[in-house]
Amino acid sequence: MMASKDVDKTYQIVRERYARFGVDTESALERLGRCALSLHVWQGDDLAGFERRAEMAPDSGLLVTGNHPGRARTVDELRADLEKALSLIPGRHRVNLHAMYGEFGSSPVDRNEIEPFHFKGWVEWARERGLKLDFNATCFNHPLAASGWTLSHRDKEVRKFWVEHVKCSRRISVALGRELRGASLHNLWIPDGSKDAPLDRWTHRALLKESLDEIFETEYSPMQMKDSLESKLFGIGSESYVVGSHEFYLGYAQAKGKMVCLDLGHFHPTESVADKISAILQIHQELLLHLIRPVRWDSDHVVILNEDVLGVLQEVVRGQALERVHLALDYFDASLNRVGAWVIGARAVLKALLIALLEPADRIRDAEIRGDLFGRLALFEEAKALPWGSVWDVFCLRAEVPAGPDWMDEIRLYQENVLGRRGGS
Ligand code: RNT
Ligand code: ZN
């Protein structure tokens, strides 16, 4: 166990060290404490959901690999796992649901029939724990998505089904926001696209626009729900053409006053997502980020503290845009302890945020404005050696969660006593 006396002692020295760079560690801690991450339920059950469908859900290009024992199979198991994860993540956070995670009872409920009451259990659970809920329409893992087309399907009936589904999902999102007193984010991602090069890239985009126009006919109060649209570059089965591309949604969202969602895995590997933030937020009011770690492709690995994540969060902090940027996790890895994966990712994002908040930005900016390029580069390098780890320990202890690696023991115990005792599938 890390003794809090030792942490405090080190912190006093570290605080001084930061002060010499003009950085106030206390205000960084205070700001970090107000950052809420949206924790994605789908890491707990490998994107299976709770629908009872006789037919097997066809694959949707979202590939979960691994078979670590302990997948949550019921809503109670999933909530217990989330509670365990949240108990090891400092701060107060949000939970991100997908439409397929409703409590649908024994008779099948299709996606165009889902209602707020299917999510009553989640609302009660969230309310008791002081959590807010975000929402996503589930336009995959369904027989009517098997062709790879949903909102932009050439068949009017299929399009209608998905339009209805997204309308239901937005209604649920409003209900979540209203019940829990705070806007619920509704994010929309669709798999539509084709494996091989199509002749006609136009028709599907026109159809998608038409479907979205119909979906967004109903406006809701931003106090209760906000919409975001998530683009993608390619997927498994949509390598050559993706209908909802970045340009498509950027333009559409701008015209309609909606948000875009940038997923770290949805761009060319050499493209900098960090660089897009200051461009988009000149025009758009808000932005959603899906934090994942792409390894060679959009592989949805667990987020770690790496340059990509740090670069993105530094941009947000440097632009004083924390209030305008929503942070959500969106990876799924079934090859390791799933609860541990949540905690690793969430703690990594919070650490990156802390490093960004502790950056001696005023000093570096001064050098930049003066044209002191040597000074700027040297300060960037010096900042890398600042002892943010001690500030992190203080953040964890004040939030009453284990600092340092102590939390790993809790995950191991949970594996032994809970996850490891669950049966298969
Ligand atoms: C898919 C998108 C999308 C999904 C979730 C489950 O490529 O990233 O956000 O991961 O909706
Ligand atoms: Zn995503």
Side-chain angles (χ1 to χ4, degrees):
M1 269 297 270
M2 199 175 288
S4 98
K5 211 165 79 240
D6 296 341
V7 172
D8 278 342
K9 219 163 98 194
T10 319
Y11 176 61
Q12 291 319 320
I13 301 165
V14 162
R15 194 176 165 176
E16 267 303 301
R17 203 158 147 205
Y18 272 101
R20 286 202 291 278
F21 277 87
V23 174
D24 178 12
T25 53
E26 283 300 309
S27 56
L29 284 168
E30 187 277 326
R31 188 62 194 88
L32 184 61
R34 286 190 285 120
C35 292
L37 309 180
S38 196
L39 222 65
H40 55 319
V41 294
W42 49 96
Q43 165 57 36
D45 78 331
D46 312 342
L47 267 166
F50 302 133
E51 292 166 306
R52 279 161 227 261
R53 209 176 297 112
E55 309 147 77
M56 264 300 284
D59 120 74
S60 55
L62 301 183
L63 194 66
V64 186
T65 50
N67 57 1
H68 196 271
R71 187 179 83 75
R73 298 153 305 172
T74 63
V75 74
D76 290 333
E77 288 182 351
L78 190 57
R79 285 182 196 142
D81 292 355
L82 278 162
E83 281 168 30
K84 186 76 216 172
L86 286 163
S87 75
L88 301 172
I89 303 168
R92 191 174 287 280
H93 302 288
R94 310 172 64 89
V95 169
N96 204 0
L97 293 170
H98 242 286
M100 62 178 167
Y101 288 89
E103 289 168 83
F104 300 113
S106 47
S107 47
V109 179
D110 211 344
R111 299 260 174 95
N112 59 347
E113 300 162 344
I114 57 169
E115 305 242 14
F117 73 81
H118 295 122
F119 294 84
K120 230 176 106 237
W122 281 107
V123 169
E124 277 159 21
W125 175 80
R127 191 181 285 126
E128 274 164 31
R129 285 156 191 83
L131 296 163
K132 306 259 189 262
L133 296 174
D134 295 317
F135 204 74
N136 300 258
T138 312
C139 300
F140 50 87
N141 280 2
H142 188 280
L144 285 181
S147 64
W149 308 97
T150 61
L151 290 177
S152 77
H153 203 293
R154 283 180 188 270
D155 181 336
K156 194 161 188 280
E157 285 308 305
V158 178
R159 281 204 310 280
K160 187 165 161 256
F161 174 85
W162 290 111
V163 166
E164 281 171 6
H165 170 60
V166 182
K167 285 184 170 178
C168 294
S169 296
R170 290 181 77 230
R171 271 202 296 277
I172 292 165
S173 196
V174 186
L176 302 180
R178 194 175 43 236
E179 295 280 336
L180 298 169
R181 297 172 184 281
S184 162
L185 242 65
H186 181 274
N187 181 53
L188 177 62
W189 171 76
I190 58 166
D192 299 34
S194 68
K195 185 181 178 92
D196 230 327
L199 171 100
D200 180 1
R201 292 175 177 265
W202 293 70
T203 301
H204 291 287
R205 288 195 171 131
L207 292 171
L208 176 56
K209 181 173 176 299
E210 198 180 291
S211 294
L212 292 176
D213 286 349
E214 194 180 331
I215 287 166
F216 295 129
E217 257 166 28
T218 316
E219 285 194 31
Y220 296 110
S221 157
M223 308 280 279
Q224 290 173 349
M225 78 88 80
K226 296 178 182 180
D227 292 290
S228 64
L229 296 159
E230 180 178 5
S231 64
K232 193 158 169 165
L233 179 66
F234 78 94
I236 301 175
S238 63
E239 288 85 351
S240 302
Y241 171 57
V242 170
V243 182
S245 60
H246 182 52
E247 292 73 11
F248 178 93
Y249 284 133
L250 195 62
Y252 189 86
Q254 188 178 326
K256 294 275 176 171
K258 306 291 180 196
M259 252 184 263
V260 284
C261 166
L262 306 182
D263 182 298
L264 296 196
H266 292 187
F267 295 89
H268 288 280
T270 56
E271 213 173 336
S272 159
V273 174
D275 181 56
K276 297 175 191 300
I277 297 171
S278 61
I280 293 175
L281 288 182
Q282 299 297 331
I283 319 283
H284 292 239
Q285 274 316 304
E286 291 173 69
L287 177 67
L288 169 63
L289 292 176
H290 267 187
L291 301 162
I292 70 136
R293 176 168 47 112
V295 176
R296 300 190 188 281
W297 66 293
D298 180 27
S299 61
D300 292 303
H301 277 64
V302 180
V303 168
I304 54 169
L305 176 53
N306 64 11
E307 275 192 353
D308 292 341
V309 172
L310 183 57
V312 160
L313 297 175
Q314 276 171 332
E315 268 304 295
V316 176
V317 171
R318 289 173 186 171
Q320 299 185 316
L322 268 175
E323 308 287 341
R324 297 164 66 197
V325 178
H326 306 273
L327 302 172
L329 304 178
D330 179 27
Y331 48 80
F332 20 95
D333 190 342
S335 71
L336 71 166
N337 183 299
R338 292 173 187 77
V339 181
W342 265 319
V343 182
I344 293 173
R347 286 175 72 115
V349 174
L350 292 168
K351 284 177 191 166
L353 266 170
L354 178 63
I355 297 174
L357 288 162
L358 290 170
E359 185 174 60
D362 292 343
R363 294 280 162 90
I364 306 177
R365 190 176 287 111
D366 275 357
E368 181 161 289
I369 292 168
R370 278 186 280 106
D372 176 6
L373 303 187
F374 153 73
R376 182 181 63 185
L377 192 56
L379 281 170
F380 271 139
E381 289 303 293
E382 284 304 311
K384 287 180 187 164
L386 286 174
W388 61 269
S390 306
V391 189
W392 169 252
D393 289 340
V394 169
F395 183 64
C396 290
L397 291 182
R398 287 186 189 171
E400 293 175 4
V401 308
D406 293 345
W407 65 273
M408 291 168 56
D409 299 338
E410 301 242 3
I411 295 288
R412 293 214 168 98
L413 269 178
Y414 195 68
Q415 180 71 46
E416 218 172 283
N417 299 332
V418 182
L419 301 178
R421 296 188 182 180
R422 285 178 191 165
S425 80

